[in-house]
Amino acid sequence: MEFESFLVSLGTSAVIFVVLMLLFTWLSRRPGNVSVYYPNRILKGMDPWEGSSLTRNPFAWIREAFTSTEQDVVKLSGVDTAVYFVFLSTVLGIFALSALLLLPTLLPLSATDNSLKTSRNVTDTTSNGTFSQLDNLSMANITRRSSRLWAFLGAVYWVSVVTYFMLWKAYKHVAALRAEALMSSEEVLPEQYAILVRDIPSPPNGETQKEFVDSYFREIYPETFYRSLVVTENSKINKIWENLEGYKKKLARAEAVFAATSNRPMNKTGLLGLVGERVDSIDYYTKLINESVAKLEAEQRTVLAEKQQTAAVVFFTDRVTAALAAQSLHCQMVDKWTVTEAPEPRQLIWENLKIKFFSRIVRQYLIYFLVAITILFYMIPIAFVSAITTLGNLQKALPFIKPIVEIAFIRTILQSYLPQIALIVFLAMLPKFLMFLSKSEGIPSQSHAIRAASGKYFYFSVLNVFIGVTLAGSLFDNLKALETKPNSIVTVLATSLPKNATFFLTYVALKFFVGYGLELSRIIPLIIFHLKKKYLCKTEAEVKEAWYPGDLSYATRVPSDMLILTITFCYSVIAPLILVFGVIYFGLGWLILRNQALKVYVPSYESYGRMWPHIHTRILAALFLFQLVMFGYLGAKLFVWATLLVPLIFISLIFGYVCRQKFYKGFEHTALEVACRGLKQRPDLEEVFRAYIPHSLSTHKGDDHQFKGAMSRYQDYAAISAA
């Protein structure tokens, strides 16, 4: 990439960000857009502009984000969101502290050496093009065997020590934040009174699954067992319930049209309402609703009596017993009576609960194999795109575009954005597939599936995007080198890495300027909302569905941040200028997403920070890769003291082990000192129990006797309380 192209890319991205920020300031103050820019507050019954300023100052939102506290975030968006901001601030601190030493130390050392002038080695450069200005400010300009390399080796130690310090501090903070939320005496959390039991054996003759579960846990916990909810096969009844809800929406829509026009709406009964008999919509959907209610009630009786599965949610009268039960071994055989903490009711993936113990293990290894195959074969199109989207290769592949490319302005734009945009498009195609694979493992909760998908996406990003793009630039040379010396992968990666510095600098700039600009302005959601409202929405429920924002999408957001983290780590010593870009990315991310968390996004679940151990592990994985790369690159510079980095690599492994041993158990389970904190009010265990009943079984139910098969209560709560 030429220097002018890099400046155009950076300048254009900055201008786009400023324009989008000004658009946000103007659009967010228009009453008609309130539901797009303040949905979180609206859903909590707050004034959209509560605590904010309606001045024309375009930077007022920045002050509001800065003055908000961590407790504000917890109150409006939950603990998981607060933990995500701990991650952003931790990485921001790592890069800021690293930059304080590395920029004033390494840049002068690089700029005053003359390796590139005396021997222009095209294999030792930070750009595949003619961006010599960056070469002169990078490690590429340091002469081989130079004593200046001691400073770069010391810089690796400095970045590593800063990372250890910040991660240890963050782990302690997140652990305290999680404990504080779980010890809260203000709110009853249903999941704190329940455990999830899987792999239930077949009941003895004459007993139902429900009776077997109740007798088993009543014997172990005679004083504190409350009742159980046996999981049932709900695929058919869920379909009926979904159809019923769809008919209700269509009836409400038809009634709204009738109220607005005084004309009875009509529709056809065939495929998509395009063919078939033409009928009165209100009468037609009323009839379908009545028929569906009858089907639902009949299916409820069948499901509860005949379709009980080998899993259940078991409830206790106090939090300590539930915490103890979740951490205890209930059967000598590990594949029987498997007990874990119950997820939130809204998190449960019901269809996965019946999957057996060994089947889950087989599925897990099979999914790992499929992910490995996906990574391997996805690298082929990634490498291909990375190769052909360079302007020279693109002209060779498509000769007819040569006259267009020769126009200076178009050439500059293509050089600036084409490879980065192609990479972003390829990454956008992957998340749903990885989420599908994660759920196929038999994972019981939504948050666990998101953590699993996030991990797959991270390793995919590092192996395919970071390493794949790095090696693709000189693919054939690398293949030849690896064929000659198969064990030289670290050296090959290290020597290939500098050649893509400008690509990744531009990629990071595009992500934080354009990406965060679109995030703040919400232009796309705003346009979609107004189009739906004008042409599609007829009822208030449809309008709400059109503006409902969803959550922060951790499954893709965290791995995307981790990719930037990995890129910044690995280039922090080779091309220290990238630290500036890393600080801007995570600084802007903290600021803009804090605004979004307080005003826009609505959490879809709460896991009380269980994402943090996985985030911590991946930060360490990125640091480990950085240390390996620097060991290889210093070796390529023929610096014999590069071996001093070997102890640092082992220190990273030991640090990760110590952190896991000290902190992880507190995230895997609820500590008893946390669970024993009393509530201000006595919990309504009936409400706790009913929170876990699936919608299809709790809607349009008849008398309680219908639920005797799967959900009958064997002990009365009043009697338990009096005992």
Side-chain angles (χ1 to χ4, degrees), residues 220-255:
I220 300 174
Y221 308 97
E223 302 296 327
T224 53
F225 171 74
Y226 177 59
R227 66 190 295 184
S228 65
L229 170 64
V230 173
V231 175
T232 53
E233 169 54 55
N234 296 337
S235 56
K236 183 177 179 181
I237 198 172
N238 286 343
K239 182 65 175 177
I240 297 172
W241 181 78
E242 288 169 6
N243 290 338
L244 175 59
E245 293 300 305
Y247 297 147
K248 287 181 179 179
K249 290 180 181 179
K250 291 177 180 178
L251 176 60
R253 181 183 178 88
E255 290 175 340

Side-chain angles (χ1 to χ4, degrees), residues 80 83 447 450-451 454-455 554-555 558-559 605 607-616 618 667:
D80 286 331
V83 169
S447 63
I450 286 174
R451 293 196 297 272
S454 175
Y554 298 113
V558 172
Y605 67 85
S607 69
Y608 300 96
R610 280 191 169 176
M611 186 69 143
W612 175 256
H614 302 266
I615 290 175
H616 176 271
R618 284 153 204 159
F667 287 82

Side-chain angles (χ1 to χ4, degrees), residues 102 105-106 109 147-157 573 639:
L102 267 59
T105 303
L106 301 187
L109 287 174
S147 59
R148 299 185 184 211
L149 292 171
W150 277 103
F152 292 86
L153 186 143
V156 179
Y157 267 87
V573 174
F639 186 61

Side-chain angles (χ1 to χ4, degrees), residues 67 200 214 290 294 305 331 344 357 438 467 547 583 592-593 613-614 638 669 676 683 706 717:
T67 55
I200 300 173
D214 281 0
N290 292 332
C331 181
E344 277 186 318
F357 181 83
S438 296
I467 296 179
W547 59 251
V583 167
I592 290 172
L593 292 175
H614 302 266
L638 304 181
H669 302 292
C676 72
Q706 292 185 12
Y717 176 58

Side-chain angles (χ1 to χ4, degrees), residues 447-715:
S447 63
H448 190 174
I450 286 174
R451 293 196 297 272
S454 175
K456 295 176 179 66
Y457 195 40
F458 166 67
Y459 292 113
F460 176 90
S461 298
V462 170
L463 293 172
N464 263 345
V465 179
F466 179 61
I467 296 179
V469 169
T470 297
L471 296 179
S474 51
L475 184 62
F476 296 107
D477 292 339
N478 291 328
L479 288 174
K480 186 176 180 180
L482 290 173
E483 185 180 348
T484 306
K485 295 181 179 179
N487 61 347
S488 63
I489 180 64
V490 173
T491 303
V492 169
L493 174 62
T495 53
S496 301
L497 196 68
K499 301 174 185 179
N500 294 281
T502 53
F503 171 86
F504 285 120
L505 280 171
T506 310
Y507 178 78
V508 175
L510 191 66
K511 290 283 285 184
F512 67 67
F513 274 141
V514 179
Y516 282 134
L518 290 171
E519 173 68 58
L520 179 66
S521 65
R522 288 183 61 78
I523 290 293
I524 296 174
L526 180 68
I527 293 171
I528 292 173
F529 165 68
H530 281 296
L531 288 174
K532 284 184 175 180
K533 184 179 180 182
K534 184 173 179 63
Y535 297 108
L536 300 177
C537 299
K538 301 297 182 183
T539 66
E540 288 298 321
E542 289 177 341
V543 172
K544 180 179 177 181
E545 188 177 341
W547 59 251
Y548 192 80
D551 60 17
L552 272 167
S553 302
Y554 298 113
T556 53
R557 191 177 296 277
V558 172
S560 179
D561 293 338
M562 286 292 181
L563 176 59
I564 304 299
L565 166 79
T566 305
I567 291 169
T568 308
F569 259 142
C570 290
Y571 281 102
S572 60
V573 174
I574 293 174
L577 276 179
I578 203 168
L579 286 169
V580 177
F581 289 77
V583 167
I584 295 173
Y585 177 87
F586 286 97
L588 270 181
W590 185 94
L591 185 65
I592 290 172
L593 292 175
R594 202 170 187 87
N595 177 80
Q596 306 301 78
L598 294 170
K599 300 173 184 176
V600 179
Y601 291 115
V602 179
S604 60
Y605 67 85
E606 178 64 85
S607 69
Y608 300 96
R610 280 191 169 176
M611 186 69 143
W612 175 256
H614 302 266
I615 290 175
H616 176 271
T617 300
R618 284 153 204 159
I619 294 175
L620 279 180
L623 179 69
F624 183 78
L625 179 61
F626 158 65
Q627 292 167 345
L628 279 178
V629 164
M630 289 311 303
F631 172 73
Y633 194 51
L634 285 170
K637 286 285 187 180
L638 304 181
F639 186 61
V640 294
W641 297 104
T643 53
L644 292 178
L645 290 180
V646 174
L648 191 61
I649 294 172
F650 283 101
I651 290 172
S652 294
L653 296 175
I654 294 170
F655 177 79
Y657 175 78
V658 170
C659 286
R660 183 175 180 85
Q661 294 302 311
K662 182 176 178 64
F663 296 112
Y664 183 72
K665 286 290 185 182
F667 287 82
E668 186 180 16
H669 302 292
T670 300
L672 298 185
E673 67 173 359
V674 172
C676 72
R677 297 299 177 95
L679 290 167
K680 288 184 178 179
Q681 57 182 353
R682 176 179 290 181
D684 184 343
L685 294 182
E686 186 64 19
E687 289 298 316
V688 170
F689 166 73
R690 290 198 172 274
Y692 279 89
I693 300 175
H695 292 300
S696 56
L697 292 174
S698 62
T699 307
H700 300 288
K701 63 182 180 294
D703 297 332
D704 286 342
H705 75 272
Q706 292 185 12
F707 292 83
K708 184 176 180 180
M711 299 181 294
S712 61
R713 180 172 56 178
Y714 281 79
Q715 298 181 15

